[in-house]
Amino acid sequence: RMAVNLVIRPFSPEDRPAVTQIVNQAFDCDAFFKKEPFKQRLINDGEELLRIAVDPMCALLVATDAETNEIVAVVRAYWVHGDSPHGGFGMLAVAQSRERMGIGKTMARAAEARVREELKQYPDFFFEISVINLQPKLVTWYERQGYNVVATAPFEAPHIVLDGYDITFNIMRKAGTV
């Protein structure tokens, strides 16, 4: 493992091409169960990123290499106030050339820190993430980060799934307080 000095900052619109490429490459491992028009995670040149970036209940964070300023990772943090305050993250993606350097863990922690900041007034908030059932290695990785599977949920976009695949989400949680 090479140590990487990261700068984690909010997404800006000019990050869109690099972030779209990183996300689509990272999520390519899920393409095998998707119908042709839905193989890529981000379509229309990452237009969805612009919507996420202005959502007041989300933060889109990017990591750049401090030396080269190259974008190397992205994560979407989100939070929910109210009766069951919780937060989590998704769209965690690391550039293929930078995998297995601890950047994913760093980004997960940055997303959790952002959620903690937003939900600090709720002592009983929790983290909740959804992990696709066809990626057992990801479930194991998140278990090492302190998450536990608490339920399963239907995949929210069954129209994109090829016939013959039973896609569900593993709902994973951990306490919000450290």
Side-chain angles (χ1 to χ4, degrees), residues 46-85:
E47 203 175 280
E48 178 186 351
L49 296 170
L50 300 178
R51 287 192 301 276
I52 295 168
V54 296
D55 184 334
M57 304 305 280
C58 290
L60 196 55
L61 305 174
V62 296
T64 59
D65 181 311
E67 291 175 21
T68 66
N69 210 28
E70 172 194 5
I71 295 174
V72 297
V74 62
V75 67
R76 172 187 167 262
Y78 60 88
W79 46 88
V80 177
H81 296 270
D83 293 341
S84 181

Short mmCIF file of all heavy atoms in Angstrom, two decimals, residues 46-85:
data_model
loop_
_atom_site.label_atom_id
_atom_site.label_comp_id
_atom_site.label_asym_id
_atom_site.label_seq_id
_atom_site.Cartn_x
_atom_site.Cartn_y
_atom_site.Cartn_z
N GLY A 46 -23.19 12.22 -16.28
CA GLY A 46 -23.22 12.46 -14.84
C GLY A 46 -24.15 13.58 -14.42
O GLY A 46 -23.95 14.20 -13.37
N GLU A 47 -25.21 13.81 -15.18
CA GLU A 47 -26.17 14.86 -14.86
C GLU A 47 -26.71 14.73 -13.42
O GLU A 47 -26.95 15.72 -12.74
CB GLU A 47 -27.33 14.76 -15.85
CG GLU A 47 -28.12 16.01 -16.05
CD GLU A 47 -29.15 15.81 -17.15
OE1 GLU A 47 -28.77 15.88 -18.34
OE2 GLU A 47 -30.31 15.57 -16.80
N GLU A 48 -26.89 13.48 -12.98
CA GLU A 48 -27.39 13.21 -11.62
C GLU A 48 -26.51 13.87 -10.55
O GLU A 48 -26.99 14.29 -9.50
CB GLU A 48 -27.44 11.69 -11.41
CG GLU A 48 -27.88 11.25 -10.04
CD GLU A 48 -27.77 9.73 -9.86
OE1 GLU A 48 -27.52 9.00 -10.84
OE2 GLU A 48 -27.94 9.29 -8.72
N LEU A 49 -25.22 13.98 -10.82
CA LEU A 49 -24.30 14.59 -9.85
C LEU A 49 -24.69 16.02 -9.54
O LEU A 49 -24.57 16.48 -8.40
CB LEU A 49 -22.86 14.54 -10.38
CG LEU A 49 -22.27 13.15 -10.59
CD1 LEU A 49 -20.95 13.25 -11.35
CD2 LEU A 49 -22.08 12.44 -9.26
N LEU A 50 -25.16 16.73 -10.54
CA LEU A 50 -25.54 18.13 -10.34
C LEU A 50 -26.76 18.23 -9.43
O LEU A 50 -26.86 19.14 -8.61
CB LEU A 50 -25.79 18.82 -11.68
CG LEU A 50 -24.60 18.83 -12.64
CD1 LEU A 50 -24.98 19.48 -13.96
CD2 LEU A 50 -23.40 19.53 -12.01
N ARG A 51 -27.70 17.28 -9.57
CA ARG A 51 -28.88 17.26 -8.68
C ARG A 51 -28.47 16.93 -7.25
O ARG A 51 -28.96 17.55 -6.30
CB ARG A 51 -29.91 16.26 -9.20
CG ARG A 51 -30.64 16.73 -10.44
CD ARG A 51 -31.85 15.86 -10.76
NE ARG A 51 -31.51 14.46 -10.98
CZ ARG A 51 -31.08 13.96 -12.14
NH1 ARG A 51 -30.92 14.76 -13.18
NH2 ARG A 51 -30.82 12.68 -12.26
N ILE A 52 -27.61 15.94 -7.09
CA ILE A 52 -27.16 15.56 -5.75
C ILE A 52 -26.44 16.74 -5.09
O ILE A 52 -26.63 17.01 -3.92
CB ILE A 52 -26.22 14.33 -5.82
CG1 ILE A 52 -26.98 13.10 -6.31
CG2 ILE A 52 -25.59 14.06 -4.46
CD1 ILE A 52 -26.08 11.93 -6.67
N ALA A 53 -25.62 17.42 -5.87
CA ALA A 53 -24.80 18.50 -5.32
C ALA A 53 -25.62 19.64 -4.73
O ALA A 53 -25.14 20.34 -3.83
CB ALA A 53 -23.85 19.04 -6.40
N VAL A 54 -26.85 19.83 -5.20
CA VAL A 54 -27.67 20.92 -4.67
C VAL A 54 -28.75 20.43 -3.69
O VAL A 54 -29.51 21.23 -3.17
CB VAL A 54 -28.34 21.76 -5.80
CG1 VAL A 54 -27.26 22.44 -6.64
CG2 VAL A 54 -29.25 20.90 -6.66
N ASP A 55 -28.79 19.15 -3.42
CA ASP A 55 -29.77 18.59 -2.48
C ASP A 55 -29.34 18.96 -1.06
O ASP A 55 -28.24 18.62 -0.63
CB ASP A 55 -29.81 17.07 -2.64
CG ASP A 55 -30.86 16.40 -1.78
OD1 ASP A 55 -31.24 16.96 -0.72
OD2 ASP A 55 -31.30 15.30 -2.14
N PRO A 56 -30.21 19.67 -0.30
CA PRO A 56 -29.81 20.11 1.04
C PRO A 56 -29.67 18.96 2.05
O PRO A 56 -29.12 19.16 3.13
CB PRO A 56 -30.93 21.07 1.46
CG PRO A 56 -32.10 20.67 0.64
CD PRO A 56 -31.54 20.14 -0.66
N MET A 57 -30.12 17.77 1.69
CA MET A 57 -30.00 16.62 2.60
C MET A 57 -28.86 15.69 2.18
O MET A 57 -28.81 14.53 2.59
CB MET A 57 -31.32 15.84 2.64
CG MET A 57 -32.52 16.70 3.03
SD MET A 57 -32.30 17.57 4.60
CE MET A 57 -32.68 16.24 5.72
N CYS A 58 -27.96 16.19 1.36
CA CYS A 58 -26.83 15.39 0.86
C CYS A 58 -25.56 16.22 0.84
O CYS A 58 -25.61 17.45 0.83
CB CYS A 58 -27.06 14.96 -0.59
SG CYS A 58 -28.33 13.77 -0.86
N ALA A 59 -24.46 15.53 0.80
CA ALA A 59 -23.17 16.16 0.50
C ALA A 59 -22.43 15.21 -0.43
O ALA A 59 -22.33 14.02 -0.15
CB ALA A 59 -22.37 16.39 1.77
N LEU A 60 -21.97 15.73 -1.53
CA LEU A 60 -21.17 14.96 -2.46
C LEU A 60 -19.73 15.38 -2.25
O LEU A 60 -19.38 16.54 -2.44
CB LEU A 60 -21.64 15.25 -3.89
CG LEU A 60 -21.22 14.32 -5.00
CD1 LEU A 60 -21.61 12.87 -4.71
CD2 LEU A 60 -21.85 14.76 -6.32
N LEU A 61 -18.92 14.42 -1.78
CA LEU A 61 -17.53 14.72 -1.44
C LEU A 61 -16.60 14.06 -2.46
O LEU A 61 -16.83 12.91 -2.85
CB LEU A 61 -17.20 14.18 -0.04
CG LEU A 61 -18.10 14.66 1.09
CD1 LEU A 61 -17.74 13.93 2.39
CD2 LEU A 61 -17.99 16.15 1.27
N VAL A 62 -15.56 14.78 -2.85
CA VAL A 62 -14.54 14.20 -3.71
C VAL A 62 -13.20 14.25 -2.98
O VAL A 62 -12.96 15.12 -2.14
CB VAL A 62 -14.42 14.93 -5.08
CG1 VAL A 62 -15.69 14.78 -5.88
CG2 VAL A 62 -14.05 16.37 -4.92
N ALA A 63 -12.36 13.29 -3.31
CA ALA A 63 -11.00 13.28 -2.78
C ALA A 63 -10.05 13.50 -3.94
O ALA A 63 -10.19 12.89 -5.00
CB ALA A 63 -10.69 11.94 -2.11
N THR A 64 -9.11 14.40 -3.71
CA THR A 64 -8.07 14.62 -4.72
C THR A 64 -6.72 14.24 -4.11
O THR A 64 -6.52 14.32 -2.90
CB THR A 64 -8.02 16.09 -5.19
OG1 THR A 64 -7.77 16.93 -4.07
CG2 THR A 64 -9.33 16.49 -5.85
N ASP A 65 -5.83 13.82 -4.96
CA ASP A 65 -4.45 13.57 -4.56
C ASP A 65 -3.82 14.94 -4.30
O ASP A 65 -3.83 15.81 -5.17
CB ASP A 65 -3.73 12.84 -5.69
CG ASP A 65 -2.29 12.49 -5.37
OD1 ASP A 65 -1.55 13.41 -4.91
OD2 ASP A 65 -1.89 11.34 -5.58
N ALA A 66 -3.29 15.14 -3.10
CA ALA A 66 -2.77 16.45 -2.70
C ALA A 66 -1.61 16.89 -3.60
O ALA A 66 -1.40 18.09 -3.78
CB ALA A 66 -2.32 16.41 -1.24
N GLU A 67 -0.90 15.93 -4.16
CA GLU A 67 0.26 16.30 -4.99
C GLU A 67 -0.14 16.60 -6.43
O GLU A 67 0.38 17.54 -7.03
CB GLU A 67 1.30 15.17 -4.96
CG GLU A 67 1.97 15.04 -3.61
CD GLU A 67 2.91 13.85 -3.56
OE1 GLU A 67 3.36 13.37 -4.62
OE2 GLU A 67 3.20 13.41 -2.43
N THR A 68 -1.03 15.80 -6.99
CA THR A 68 -1.36 15.94 -8.42
C THR A 68 -2.68 16.68 -8.66
O THR A 68 -2.97 17.05 -9.78
CB THR A 68 -1.46 14.56 -9.09
OG1 THR A 68 -2.59 13.87 -8.52
CG2 THR A 68 -0.19 13.76 -8.90
N ASN A 69 -3.47 16.84 -7.61
CA ASN A 69 -4.81 17.43 -7.70
C ASN A 69 -5.79 16.57 -8.50
O ASN A 69 -6.89 17.00 -8.83
CB ASN A 69 -4.75 18.86 -8.25
CG ASN A 69 -5.87 19.72 -7.69
OD1 ASN A 69 -6.35 19.49 -6.59
ND2 ASN A 69 -6.31 20.69 -8.47
N GLU A 70 -5.40 15.35 -8.84
CA GLU A 70 -6.26 14.43 -9.57
C GLU A 70 -7.38 13.93 -8.65
O GLU A 70 -7.12 13.58 -7.50
CB GLU A 70 -5.41 13.23 -10.05
CG GLU A 70 -6.20 12.11 -10.66
CD GLU A 70 -5.38 10.82 -10.80
OE1 GLU A 70 -4.22 10.78 -10.34
OE2 GLU A 70 -5.93 9.87 -11.36
N ILE A 71 -8.60 13.89 -9.16
CA ILE A 71 -9.71 13.34 -8.39
C ILE A 71 -9.54 11.82 -8.35
O ILE A 71 -9.38 11.17 -9.39
CB ILE A 71 -11.07 13.72 -9.01
CG1 ILE A 71 -11.26 15.24 -8.92
CG2 ILE A 71 -12.22 12.98 -8.31
CD1 ILE A 71 -12.49 15.75 -9.64
N VAL A 72 -9.56 11.27 -7.14
CA VAL A 72 -9.31 9.83 -6.99
C VAL A 72 -10.48 9.08 -6.35
O VAL A 72 -10.50 7.86 -6.36
CB VAL A 72 -8.01 9.56 -6.20
CG1 VAL A 72 -6.81 10.11 -6.96
CG2 VAL A 72 -8.08 10.12 -4.79
N ALA A 73 -11.47 9.80 -5.80
CA ALA A 73 -12.59 9.11 -5.16
C ALA A 73 -13.76 10.07 -4.97
O ALA A 73 -13.59 11.30 -5.00
CB ALA A 73 -12.17 8.53 -3.81
N VAL A 74 -14.93 9.48 -4.74
CA VAL A 74 -16.15 10.25 -4.50
C VAL A 74 -17.04 9.45 -3.55
O VAL A 74 -16.97 8.22 -3.51
CB VAL A 74 -16.89 10.55 -5.83
CG1 VAL A 74 -17.32 9.27 -6.52
CG2 VAL A 74 -18.08 11.46 -5.61
N VAL A 75 -17.86 10.16 -2.80
CA VAL A 75 -18.89 9.52 -1.98
C VAL A 75 -20.04 10.51 -1.79
O VAL A 75 -19.83 11.72 -1.74
CB VAL A 75 -18.33 9.06 -0.61
CG1 VAL A 75 -17.94 10.23 0.28
CG2 VAL A 75 -19.33 8.15 0.12
N ARG A 76 -21.24 9.98 -1.71
CA ARG A 76 -22.44 10.78 -1.44
C ARG A 76 -22.87 10.47 -0.01
O ARG A 76 -23.20 9.34 0.31
CB ARG A 76 -23.55 10.41 -2.41
CG ARG A 76 -24.90 11.05 -2.09
CD ARG A 76 -25.98 10.48 -3.02
NE ARG A 76 -27.30 10.84 -2.53
CZ ARG A 76 -28.08 10.03 -1.81
NH1 ARG A 76 -27.69 8.84 -1.47
NH2 ARG A 76 -29.27 10.45 -1.42
N ALA A 77 -22.85 11.48 0.85
CA ALA A 77 -23.37 11.35 2.22
C ALA A 77 -24.79 11.91 2.22
O ALA A 77 -25.10 12.85 1.48
CB ALA A 77 -22.50 12.14 3.19
N TYR A 78 -25.65 11.35 3.05
CA TYR A 78 -27.02 11.85 3.16
C TYR A 78 -27.51 11.70 4.59
O TYR A 78 -26.97 10.92 5.37
CB TYR A 78 -27.97 11.13 2.19
CG TYR A 78 -28.04 9.64 2.43
CD1 TYR A 78 -28.96 9.10 3.32
CD2 TYR A 78 -27.17 8.77 1.79
CE1 TYR A 78 -29.00 7.73 3.56
CE2 TYR A 78 -27.20 7.41 2.01
CZ TYR A 78 -28.13 6.90 2.90
OH TYR A 78 -28.17 5.55 3.15
N TRP A 79 -28.53 12.48 4.93
CA TRP A 79 -29.06 12.44 6.29
C TRP A 79 -30.55 12.71 6.27
O TRP A 79 -31.08 13.34 5.35
CB TRP A 79 -28.34 13.44 7.20
CG TRP A 79 -28.20 14.78 6.56
CD1 TRP A 79 -29.10 15.80 6.61
CD2 TRP A 79 -27.12 15.23 5.74
NE1 TRP A 79 -28.63 16.88 5.88
CE2 TRP A 79 -27.42 16.56 5.33
CE3 TRP A 79 -25.93 14.66 5.30
CZ2 TRP A 79 -26.58 17.30 4.53
CZ3 TRP A 79 -25.09 15.40 4.50
CH2 TRP A 79 -25.41 16.70 4.13
N VAL A 80 -31.23 12.19 7.31
CA VAL A 80 -32.67 12.33 7.45
C VAL A 80 -32.93 12.78 8.89
O VAL A 80 -32.50 12.11 9.83
CB VAL A 80 -33.39 10.98 7.19
CG1 VAL A 80 -34.89 11.11 7.41
CG2 VAL A 80 -33.08 10.47 5.79
N HIS A 81 -33.61 13.91 9.04
CA HIS A 81 -34.00 14.39 10.36
C HIS A 81 -35.35 13.78 10.72
O HIS A 81 -35.92 13.03 9.95
CB HIS A 81 -34.10 15.92 10.36
CG HIS A 81 -32.80 16.60 10.10
ND1 HIS A 81 -31.92 16.95 11.10
CD2 HIS A 81 -32.20 16.97 8.93
CE1 HIS A 81 -30.87 17.52 10.56
NE2 HIS A 81 -31.00 17.55 9.25
N GLY A 82 -35.89 14.11 11.90
CA GLY A 82 -37.25 13.70 12.23
C GLY A 82 -37.32 12.58 13.23
O GLY A 82 -36.44 12.44 14.08
N ASP A 83 -38.36 11.74 13.10
CA ASP A 83 -38.65 10.71 14.11
C ASP A 83 -37.56 9.65 14.20
O ASP A 83 -37.34 9.07 15.26
CB ASP A 83 -39.98 10.01 13.79
CG ASP A 83 -41.16 10.95 13.94
OD1 ASP A 83 -41.01 11.99 14.62
OD2 ASP A 83 -42.23 10.65 13.37
N SER A 84 -36.92 9.36 13.09
CA SER A 84 -35.90 8.32 13.08
C SER A 84 -34.65 8.87 12.40
O SER A 84 -34.30 8.51 11.28
CB SER A 84 -36.43 7.10 12.32
OG SER A 84 -35.47 6.08 12.30
N PRO A 85 -33.96 9.79 13.10
CA PRO A 85 -32.82 10.44 12.45
C PRO A 85 -31.72 9.43 12.11
O PRO A 85 -31.30 8.65 12.96
CB PRO A 85 -32.35 11.47 13.48
CG PRO A 85 -32.88 11.00 14.79
CD PRO A 85 -34.12 10.21 14.50
#
